[in-house]
């Protein structure tokens, strides 16, 4: 199963609610929310209040990508705001194992389909934990937490901005990670983020990724539905 996660970093913030509505109707699976602190990455974006606003505007899974230093201090805030998934950067955590356990110990309100008519109800579930790696960080940084995380986020650009060029070496990295996940009997799925579009999605899917973040490739097009459909192909 492939998961398409539009990154709101490229959305029109003068009408965020409408944008969320539009990608939900267009068939998106998760909403990817990029949190930047101006220290870990050279850009500042938004924090828990935007996650809270997204929670009100969509019933889709909220996938919060923390590009921040000292994430432990803020993780409970993001859980309270409605994050369903939280990923932290291995480079930003001195005690990565502890941080992952912290994420998984927290609960979030989540919408679940209760019948075939797409009727939904709110249920409490544990937050799922992800670990992200910058392009230059080796896979060995996460080897010993592979059985603790729900997903691994391979950055295919240097984090901080939307609309950057895909870094080709990410493909080999995803292949090597797929192998490592199998060898270790981990259930983690692979998410890829940065420069994903029609040109690159097929290659990263063949390499083993199943969750695809796309910012500009979706929000900078006119027809979200057609774009998401084409990305899935
Ligand atoms: C980059 C962010 C990405 C970004 C992707 O730091 O983590 O999620 O929004 O944007 P595109 O898809 O335009 O490369
Ligand atoms: Zn991201």
């Amino acid at each position: 199963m492939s998961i398409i996660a539009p990154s709101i970093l490229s959305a029109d913030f003068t009408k965020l609610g409408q944008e969320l509505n539009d990608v939900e109707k267009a068939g998106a699976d998760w909403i990817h929310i990029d949190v930047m602190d101006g220290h870990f990455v050279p850009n500042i974006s938004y924090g828990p209040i935007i996650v809270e606003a997204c929670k009100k505007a969509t019933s889709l899974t909220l996938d919060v990508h923390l590009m921040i230093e000292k994430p432990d201090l803020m993780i409970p805030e993001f859980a309270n705001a409605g994050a369903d998934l939280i990923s932290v950067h291995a480079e930003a955590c001195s005690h990565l194992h502890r941080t992952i356990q912290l994420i998984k110990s927290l609960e979030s309100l989540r919408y679940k389909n209760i019948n075939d008519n797409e009727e939904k109800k709110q249920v409490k579930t544990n937050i799922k934990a992800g670990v992200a790696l910058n392009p230059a960080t080796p896979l060995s940084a996460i080897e010993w937490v592979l059985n603790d995380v729900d997903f691994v986020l391979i950055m295919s650009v240097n984090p901080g901005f939307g609309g950057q060029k895909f870094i080709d070496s990410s493909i080999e990295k995803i292949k090597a990670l797929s192998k490592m996940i199998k060898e270790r009997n981990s259930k983690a799925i692979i998410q890829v983020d940065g420069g994903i579009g029609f040109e690159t999605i097929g290659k990263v899917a063949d390499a083993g990724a199943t969750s695809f973040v796309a910012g500009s490739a979706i929000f900078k097009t006119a027809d979200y539905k057609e774009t998401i459909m084409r990305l899935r192909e």
Side-chain angles (χ1 to χ4, degrees):
M1 195 195 65
S2 60
I3 295 160
I4 304 287
S7 162
I8 59 164
L9 193 63
S10 297
D12 180 347
F13 270 79
T14 62
K15 48 169 187 165
L16 182 59
Q18 186 62 49
E19 293 274 69
L20 290 169
N21 226 304
D22 290 347
V23 284
E24 180 164 358
K25 276 198 238 132
D29 301 293
W30 297 352
I31 296 297
H32 186 81
I33 305 177
D34 287 304
V35 178
M36 304 177 181
D37 66 352
H39 291 277
F40 182 69
V41 288
N43 195 6
I44 298 177
S45 58
Y46 30 75
I49 56 169
I50 290 291
V51 175
E52 212 178 321
C54 291
K55 196 72 179 182
K56 288 182 189 144
T58 178
S59 61
L60 293 179
T61 295
L62 300 184
D63 164 28
V64 177
H65 176 191
L66 297 182
M67 285 161 274
I68 63 175
E69 283 175 9
K70 297 196 172 70
D72 297 39
L73 300 178
M74 288 303 292
I75 285 167
E77 294 286 330
F78 284 101
N80 285 339
D84 299 296
L85 316 174
I86 295 179
S87 57
V88 290
H89 271 263
E91 303 87 354
C93 299
S94 338
H95 302 284
L96 181 58
H97 182 271
R98 177 184 285 150
T99 304
I100 292 163
Q101 306 312 320
L102 169 65
I103 296 171
K104 294 202 297 187
S105 73
L106 299 169
E107 288 184 323
S108 165
L109 276 178
R110 190 167 192 167
Y111 294 90
K112 271 216 167 118
N113 280 359
I114 48 169
N115 56 32
D116 293 341
N117 303 328
E118 305 249 317
E119 245 183 282
K120 294 179 165 72
K121 82 164 194 217
Q122 276 197 328
V123 289
K124 267 196 168 177
T125 49
N126 278 85
I127 296 181
K128 294 204 186 313
V131 60
L133 290 180
N134 285 336
T137 306
L139 294 176
S140 58
I142 55 161
E143 198 172 347
W144 296 103
V145 292
L146 265 191
N147 293 88
D148 296 287
V149 290
D150 298 290
F151 65 106
V152 178
L153 196 184
I154 296 294
M155 286 306 303
S156 40
V157 298
N158 289 297
F161 306 93
Q164 301 182 82
K165 192 180 171 298
F166 180 84
I167 297 171
D168 284 320
S169 59
S170 318
I171 295 169
E172 276 308 303
K173 198 174 183 181
I174 293 168
K175 279 188 193 157
L177 175 59
S178 298
K179 197 166 157 247
M180 202 187 237
I181 285 175
K182 278 191 201 110
E183 281 167 3
R184 295 194 164 263
N185 276 326
S186 157
K187 291 192 178 68
I189 66 163
I190 303 176
Q191 181 177 55
V192 59
D193 183 6
I196 297 301
F198 302 135
E199 304 271 287
T200 48
I201 195 165
K203 293 184 238 178
V204 291
D206 289 345
T210 53
S211 168
F212 310 92
V213 176
S216 43
I218 293 174
F219 285 107
K220 302 294 178 206
T221 56
D223 188 337
Y224 299 165
K225 190 168 187 175
E226 199 206 304
T227 304
I228 291 175
M229 245 165 53
R230 277 188 60 199
L231 285 172
R232 267 188 216 289
E233 285 165 10

